[in-house]
Amino acid sequence: MPINFSLSTTTQGQQAPCPCIFGHRTSYFNKLPVSQNHVKFKALFCLKHSNKRRHNKAPHNSIDSLPKFDTSCCYSAYSKMEGVRKLDIVGSVESNEYSKELDVAVRAVQMACFLCQKVQESLISKSSSQVQSKDDNSPVTVADWSVQATVSWLLSQSFGSENVSIVAEEDVVSLSKADAAGLLKAVVNTVNDCLAEAPRFGLQGPAMALGASEVIEAIGRCNSSGGPTGRFWALDPVDGTLGFVRGDQYAVALALIENGEAVLGVLGCPNYPMRKEWLSYQHRYHRIISKLTPPTSESWDKGCVMYAWKGSGEAWMQPLIQGDKKLVWPNSARPVQVSSIENPALATFCEPVEKSNSSHSFTAGLAHSVGLRKQPLRVYSMVKYATIARGDAEVFMKFARAGYKEKIWDHAAGVVIIEEAGGVVSDAGGRRLDFSKGIYLEGLDRGIIACAGARLHEKIIRAVDASWSSSSL
């Protein structure tokens, strides 16, 4: 079913949700009674200026300089709508052609994050033998296989297995070996525990627990090779597995690619703190400190799902479902937008934590050449894309070692979200990333650069060209 927002009027003194967070168009307000014109004008004024903020055109002395998520003017306006018992808010989410895909994808990623949090807690609290090494020596955990099985099963149930094609990172070879019976059992149990919670996330779970063969089938179904035509999903079940096993940042990434172009992106970031300054600290340290200064019951401490669809000019962030709460769309969603900083001297740049994943020496020299003064923000996984989209950083650069080929599931979701939040993503030659060549980003020029805006992006591109000939990459 398409997404339908149904919102009851609050009692006097309470704040009703702001229409801006739903991304709906101003045509809704044209239907308001004449007696509510003062409310109508105020809400339209907020929408107009939120659009200006999204395109980074706000003067510092205007309403646009309000904090990013300050929608108090709309809250105030809606709280005055006495006598309106129910508002049927039909947003741009519902009217876009990917409405059902977006609805299912966000809910599936929410469930995947719930699963990952459970597994990560067990990995941190006790030593676990359920961490394997892949051929490239990168770790893979129970969570990787379990998320892939869960998301594959949910997409197949929602759209029909015959209509679902998935490109994903993990295969079933390790799980199918005779000596992997214990590992497979752990994966099956984890998948079933997660799917049992499906109704809480607004999805339908299986009538009975899945068996080992069904779980292996769901994982093995993710065998698409991508390509330039048709529609397929790109899934990275746990991006940043090294961060995951260390109790740090990681992401669940799901993108829809149509005729070689990423058209929808969902990025789950379970450990992403709402306070920017916490990004600089290792997550275990954050866990200790947060116990000394615990958040209030109403606060949103960490963990979010970001999402966007191509052409909307909007990107959104909603909190993860905590405890035994249910996901009621739009789940307190907030708009996100890139930073307006264009001066490299004021910008913060992100890069991978591991030196094996990117050349720290080259990016350090490049940062110095363009006047980047701040220390780099080293973050595991596609959370780097989230930092750019949310305005916590302005530049992400990745220049991999010679011979390394970037995979589409490591970038597709993040690219959609940054671009719709107002940013720019390209290779080092300034060309958009090409998702039509199979599972790899073939033809990539040197590296990947994501920036908060076009002007900053141009400056970084010029600096790369000027510095490349003297590098050892």
Side-chain angles (χ1 to χ4, degrees), residues 54-289:
R54 188 165 64 242
H55 296 288
N56 298 319
K57 298 178 181 178
H60 291 293
N61 60 350
S62 73
I63 188 173
D64 302 358
S65 62
L66 289 171
K68 190 180 302 179
F69 303 131
D70 186 348
T71 51
S72 57
C73 59
C74 276
Y75 283 132
S76 175
Y78 266 78
S79 65
K80 295 178 182 178
M81 291 186 178
E82 297 181 7
V84 181
R85 304 306 302 173
K86 189 174 184 180
L87 299 177
D88 292 322
I89 299 179
V90 182
S92 61
V93 175
E94 184 179 39
S95 62
N96 92 83
E97 60 181 305
Y98 304 108
S99 58
K100 182 176 181 181
E101 289 85 350
L102 180 68
D103 181 46
V104 173
V106 171
R107 295 175 191 274
V109 170
Q110 281 271 6
M111 285 185 64
C113 290
F114 167 77
L115 183 159
C116 286
Q117 286 176 316
K118 297 290 186 183
V119 175
Q120 190 183 53
E121 286 292 333
S122 68
L123 288 174
I124 295 172
S125 62
K126 57 185 178 182
S127 63
S128 175
S129 60
Q130 296 172 351
V131 180
Q132 305 290 311
S133 292
K134 293 188 282 190
D135 292 340
D136 60 0
N137 292 322
S138 60
V140 58
T141 70
V142 167
D144 291 86
W145 284 301
S146 299
V147 167
Q148 188 160 312
T150 298
V151 173
S152 172
W153 190 90
L154 290 170
L155 292 178
S156 296
Q157 289 298 305
S158 298
F159 302 106
S161 58
E162 69 280 5
N163 300 316
V164 173
S165 179
I166 305 172
V167 175
E169 185 165 18
E170 311 306 338
D171 59 38
V172 296
V173 175
S174 299
L175 280 182
S176 302
K177 294 179 179 178
D179 60 353
L183 183 61
L184 176 58
K185 181 179 179 181
V187 170
V188 171
N189 290 339
T190 303
V191 170
N192 282 316
D193 287 347
C194 182
L195 289 176
E197 301 288 335
R200 190 159 63 86
F201 292 86
L203 295 171
Q204 185 174 353
M208 60 181 65
L210 302 184
S213 61
E214 292 169 298
V215 170
I216 288 179
E217 179 185 357
I219 297 172
R221 195 180 295 131
C222 304
N223 60 357
S224 171
S225 56
T229 59
R231 167 185 284 205
F232 62 90
W233 296 87
L235 169 67
D236 194 337
V238 180
D239 184 49
T241 308
L242 191 57
F244 178 77
V245 299
R246 292 176 176 176
D248 211 296
Q249 298 295 332
Y250 65 97
V252 177
L254 181 62
L256 179 62
I257 297 175
E258 198 167 58
N259 296 326
E261 190 166 17
V263 296
L264 183 156
V266 184
L267 197 57
C269 308
N271 287 337
Y272 194 163
M274 293 302 103
R275 294 172 60 185
K276 174 184 176 180
E277 55 268 29
W278 283 117
L279 278 170
S280 301
Y281 293 95
Q282 205 268 351
H283 183 58
R284 291 184 186 180
Y285 180 76
H286 175 214
R287 285 154 55 94
I288 295 171
I289 298 300

